[in-house]
Amino acid sequence: KAGVTQTPRYLIKTRGQQVTLSCSPISGHRSVSWYQQTPGQGLQFLFEYFSETQRNKGNFPGRFSGRQFSNSRSEMNVSTLELGDSALYLCASSLTRLGQGDTDTQYFGPGTRLTVL
Amino acid sequence: AQSVSQHNHHVILSEAASLELGCNYSYGGTVNLFWYVQYPGQHLQLLLKYFSGDPLVKGIKGFEAEFIKSKFSFNLRKPSVQWSDTAEYFCAVNGGFKTIFGAGTRLFVKA
């Protein structure tokens, strides 16, 4: 099976712009979660999507949003970019929703490295 | 609130030394526990997981972890590390429908 794929792998934007990141989960996986990884804050949970609905959200401002399509692919959008949004954005997929036991093991993609200038 | 604490941020060992990385969590309900590894230049990979049953779980590459419920701990161990184990290790706890990661421990193994 192909793993989790994320596009693009690298992105450079300037402050004030907006960006959309894409994630394709492992075939058959219905849950997609997004994380922000920075040297200072580590891995922080952004949100989880399951069956096209946001199921849970971390402590991030409303500038961070996402959606999931019927084929389970997900996109994450960040509007009005700030310098502090520079990070590695990771997508993870799992068979079921988080908290469902053995089937909620997450498999991570390679990430999208976003640099905001 | 859920939290995960990894005791050591940096660990340096010589090859063949034994490894134990500490992980403590705070959450009152049922949890699933994970250790992930991120090798230099690679993405996060699952090392092992616990969700029920035997509290001693074995993962890939000779790693194991023990869930001690009374101590809210899930420490990672390996009896003899190799240079190729140089990586960053993350403990993660899934409870309440989201996964919280520890800050990570960078392990450097000297050849």
Side-chain angles (χ1 to χ4, degrees):
Chain A
K1 265 188 187 176
V4 178
T5 58
Q6 292 186 244
T7 56
R9 293 291 311 278
Y10 301 92
L11 208 47
I12 299 175
K13 292 284 188 178
T14 55
R15 278 181 298 174
Q17 287 188 306
Q18 68 95 28
V19 66
T20 300
L21 312 181
S22 180
C23 171
S24 292
I26 291 172
S27 177
H29 283 196
R30 296 174 60 197
S31 169
V32 173
S33 297
W34 288 89
Y35 295 85
Q36 182 194 65
Q37 186 178 23
T38 59
Q41 300 294 319
L43 270 154
Q44 292 190 287
F45 174 78
L46 278 155
F47 28 63
E48 181 201 9
Y49 283 87
F50 182 82
S51 293
E52 302 176 64
T53 303
Q54 188 181 92
R55 301 293 177 162
N56 211 337
K57 188 170 164 48
N59 296 325
F60 280 82
R63 299 185 297 107
F64 292 81
S65 63
R67 58 177 176 167
Q68 186 180 34
F69 302 95
S70 58
N71 62 359
S72 295
R73 191 177 69 84
S74 177
E75 287 182 346
M76 191 192 94
N77 186 76
V78 189
S79 63
T80 320
L81 283 166
E82 300 177 359
L83 295 178
D85 297 333
S86 294
L88 181 67
Y89 289 89
L90 295 171
C91 166
S93 77
S94 59
L95 202 57
T96 58
R97 279 195 63 187
L98 299 181
Q100 299 294 300
D102 187 33
T103 51
D104 71 351
T105 299
Q106 293 178 283
Y107 297 87
F108 284 81
T112 294
R113 173 109 18 223
L114 171 65
T115 302
V116 182
L117 302 175
Chain B
Q2 228 174 313
S3 67
V4 178
S5 174
Q6 290 185 238
H7 307 158
N8 310 96
H9 294 299
H10 294 91
V11 173
I12 301 174
L13 295 173
S14 298
E15 275 195 312
S18 64
L19 170 72
E20 180 159 2
L21 301 182
C23 173
N24 285 88
Y25 67 93
S26 67
Y27 183 71
T30 302
V31 293
N32 296 333
L33 301 157
F34 306 85
W35 276 97
Y36 284 88
V37 62
Q38 192 168 30
Y39 297 104
Q42 296 187 30
H43 57 89
L44 275 167
Q45 300 172 41
L46 181 68
L47 262 183
L48 47 78
K49 63 182 179 184
Y50 170 83
F51 64 100
S52 68
D54 189 343
L56 183 63
V57 292
K58 295 191 184 299
I60 60 171
K61 305 187 180 187
F63 286 90
E64 64 178 32
E66 185 175 13
F67 171 47
I68 303 179
K69 191 173 180 180
S70 61
K71 294 185 178 180
F72 298 90
S73 71
F74 190 55
N75 293 353
L76 180 70
R77 298 194 292 250
K78 185 171 183 178
S80 175
V81 295
Q82 300 172 305
W83 175 81
S84 58
D85 293 324
T86 293
E88 190 162 15
Y89 294 80
F90 294 90
C91 178
V93 174
N94 184 341
F97 305 108
K98 62 180 172 181
T99 302
I100 304 298
F101 282 79
T105 297
R106 287 186 185 271
L107 171 66
F108 180 73
V109 180
K110 297 183 290 184

